[in-house]
Amino acid sequence: MEKSSVHKGTLFIVPTPIGHLADITHRAISLLADVDLILCEDTRTSGKLLKHYGIDTPTRAHHMHNEHKDVDRLTAQLSDGMRIALISDAGTPAISDPGFLLVRSSLAAGVEVITLPGPTAFVPALVQSGLPCERFVFEGFLPHKKGRKSRIDSLCNETRTMVFYESPHRLIKTLKQLTDAFGPERQASVSRELTKVFEETKRGTLSELYTYFEKHTPKGEFVLVVTGKP
Ligand code: SAM
């Protein structure tokens, strides 16, 4: 992309790989090389990706611990004409990651926001689950403690396919709680390490998946897909 073709005073939301380094678009690479600043969830993690693609644009940390404090200053810089890209450690920013606050504040200030299409974990997990995907709900992470049971209960009558993000430490607990709430026969799918060396998808009923992961310690990153109430 030629420098002149990049918009002035724009926030670019740029998806980055969820594992496989090649899963990034040509447009994303050109844009990251061309903007004035890249906001990274973790500058060291993103540094590896940027180095791999020979991108030496200045970076700054923008994560859940400083986004509230930094959002006004960044919005002012965008209003002054700065071209800033936001990336997260993996996938699409603002999807279970920082980003929403800066997008909202930029739009409120009249700054143009352009979001590139690209990697995110829930789409491949949903599609390869083999469960209905013409209508679905993305639930992200369930609350860890407070509000967890009421969130699960609120989904008992959900007829659309449900997509959850889960950590390896909580996967078994979640499978057990969903089995109890939705019934053992509900069809589901668990995808782990998408696009990575140990990528794997297990399909079955909630109780079958619970039994499987009780015997095989969950390792890596997980997306859980559960079919809706029939
Ligand atoms: N922004 C990311 C996206 O667009 O998917 C999500 C970030 S969220 C902090 C991280 C969670 O996404 C993980 O705990 C896991 O549930 C899911 N995830 C990310 N990468 C994954 C992968 N390669 N395989 C399976 N799940 C993944």
Side-chain angles (χ1 to χ4, degrees):
M1 184 185 291
E2 303 212 348
K3 288 230 174 213
S4 57
S5 66
V6 174
H7 303 69
K8 274 298 206 186
T10 303
L11 173 66
F12 297 95
I13 306 298
V14 182
T16 55
I18 58 166
H20 198 302
L21 271 185
D23 288 333
I24 184 164
T25 67
H26 292 292
R27 184 181 171 209
I29 294 167
S30 315
L31 192 73
L32 291 174
D34 202 57
V35 290
D36 302 312
L37 176 69
I38 303 174
L39 300 174
C40 310
E41 197 181 355
D42 181 327
T43 51
R44 270 189 302 179
T45 303
S46 297
K48 291 177 202 146
L49 175 79
L50 299 175
K51 186 164 180 237
H52 181 81
Y53 285 104
I55 296 167
D56 57 8
T57 305
T59 58
R60 192 194 295 167
H62 183 76
H63 43 65
M64 59 189 288
H65 304 294
N66 72 358
E67 59 174 341
H68 285 267
K69 193 161 67 75
D70 275 3
V71 98
D72 289 344
R73 182 163 52 102
L74 290 166
T75 306
Q77 289 178 312
L78 286 158
S79 298
D80 283 348
M82 210 163 164
R83 298 158 308 138
I84 300 180
L86 174 67
I87 62 178
S88 62
D89 285 353
T92 301
I95 299 297
S96 298
D97 264 338
F100 163 68
L101 290 180
L102 188 56
V103 169
R104 182 175 63 178
S105 145
S106 301
L107 292 174
V111 170
E112 188 167 17
V113 176
I114 294 181
T115 303
L116 273 61
T120 188
F122 75 87
V123 173
L126 171 65
V127 173
Q128 72 182 13
S129 71
L131 300 172
C133 56
E134 71 278 11
R135 295 179 71 222
F136 64 91
V137 279
F138 174 67
E139 284 293 322
F141 290 100
L142 284 166
H144 293 177
K145 291 196 177 97
K146 197 165 172 283
R148 186 177 171 89
K149 185 166 181 322
S150 55
R151 177 76 58 85
I152 292 173
D153 288 346
S154 76
L155 293 169
C156 280
N157 289 320
E158 177 57 65
T159 55
R160 294 167 291 183
T161 297
M162 293 162 271
V163 185
F164 302 89
Y165 280 171
E166 199 45 279
S167 77
H169 320 291
R170 262 180 290 270
L171 181 73
I172 293 174
K173 177 180 170 185
T174 298
L175 286 169
K176 173 81 174 82
Q177 289 180 319
L178 295 185
T179 302
D180 292 345
F182 300 167
E185 297 307 317
R186 188 74 72 90
Q187 290 294 320
S189 150
V190 173
S191 288
R192 70 180 277 262
E193 298 289 84
L194 288 159
T195 79
K196 302 185 196 178
V197 177
F198 297 108
E199 171 168 352
E200 187 178 33
T201 294
K202 291 275 166 211
R203 302 171 186 84
T205 64
L206 280 172
S207 68
E208 284 167 349
L209 291 168
Y210 170 65
T211 305
Y212 176 85
F213 283 105
E214 272 222 309
K215 290 192 189 126
H216 302 83
T217 308
K219 286 194 191 112
E221 300 196 275
F222 290 85
V223 184
L224 169 61
V225 184
V226 184
T227 200
K229 190 178 178 180

